[in-house]
């Protein structure tokens, strides 16, 4: 199943972030970046990445052109596949440069499933339950924590026991 990283913009006053402002970025290969790289970069507003992409494409075309037409086609195709592999990484890099904070990683078959899993986590649900009750006629939307840190597992009763062995002192 694909992994998605969840990013939230930093708030100046440390207030809660609106769930609609969270950005989910898929980890892995990006088909639109392979097939229509320049429109994809413009749509995602990755301006610096667009400039770097165009400079690299022109430089590779010039260098590969000196080697011959067959070599230039192979080099350009390999560059397109490499860019499609790294496109979502460039998107995360741009979000980080713009002040977004990584909240966590969630997996899901689709973006919608990943969002449901993220917003259904225990920490998010606990925060929604402890929030004040809404007044009649108003909608209450829970906001995710500003810094989602996974809770450590509860400590084991006996550190020396591993696996499915019975606890010491208990008779069967």
């Amino acid at each position: 199943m694909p992994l998605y990283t969840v990013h939230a913009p930093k708030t100046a006053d440390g207030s809660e972030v609106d769930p609609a402002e969270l950005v989910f970025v898929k980890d892995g290969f990006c088909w639109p970046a392979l097939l229509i790289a320049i429109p994809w970069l413009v749509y995602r507003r990755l301006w610096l990445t667009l400039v770097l992409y165009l400079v690299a494409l022109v430089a590779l075309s010039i260098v590969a052109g000196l080697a011959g037409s067959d070599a230039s086609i192979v080099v350009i195709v390999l560059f397109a596949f490499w860019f499609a592999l790294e496109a979502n990484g460039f998107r995360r890099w741009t979000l980080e440069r713009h002040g977004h904070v990584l909240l966590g990683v969630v997996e899901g078959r689709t973006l919608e499933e990943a969002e449901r899993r993220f917003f259904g986590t225990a920490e998010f649900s606990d925060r929604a339950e402890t929030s004040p009750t809404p007044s009649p006629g108003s909608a209450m939307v829970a906001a995710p924590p500003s810094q989602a840190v996974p809770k450590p597992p509860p400590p084991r009763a006996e550190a020396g026991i591993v696996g499915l062995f019975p606890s010491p002192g208990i008779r069967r």
Side-chain angles (χ1 to χ4, degrees), residues 128-152:
E129 290 171 4
T130 59
S131 62
T133 57
S135 60
S138 68
M140 185 71 159
V141 177
S146 59
Q147 288 291 342
V149 178
K151 296 178 183 176

Side-chain angles (χ1 to χ4, degrees), residues 96-113:
E96 183 180 312
R97 280 190 2 212
H98 290 292
H100 283 67
V101 178
L102 176 67
L103 291 183
V105 177
V106 66
E107 71 176 349
R109 287 189 182 99
T110 63
L111 175 62
E112 182 179 317
E113 183 179 332

Side-chain angles (χ1 to χ4, degrees), residues 50-91:
L50 175 63
V51 170
L52 294 173
Y53 176 82
L54 292 175
V55 167
L57 192 62
V58 168
L60 282 174
S61 297
I62 291 171
V63 171
L66 298 174
S69 64
D70 292 339
S72 66
I73 292 171
V74 171
V75 168
I76 298 302
V77 168
L78 287 176
F79 175 72
F81 274 98
W82 172 81
F83 182 74
L85 283 170
E86 296 297 325
N88 287 326
F90 286 123
R91 189 170 170 211

Side-chain angles (χ1 to χ4, degrees), residues 111-135:
L111 175 62
E112 182 179 317
E113 183 179 332
E115 288 174 344
R116 272 191 262 127
R117 284 187 180 198
F118 179 75
F119 291 121
T121 59
E123 187 173 323
F124 189 78
S125 299
D126 291 344
R127 177 163 255 169
E129 290 171 4
T130 59
S131 62
T133 57
S135 60

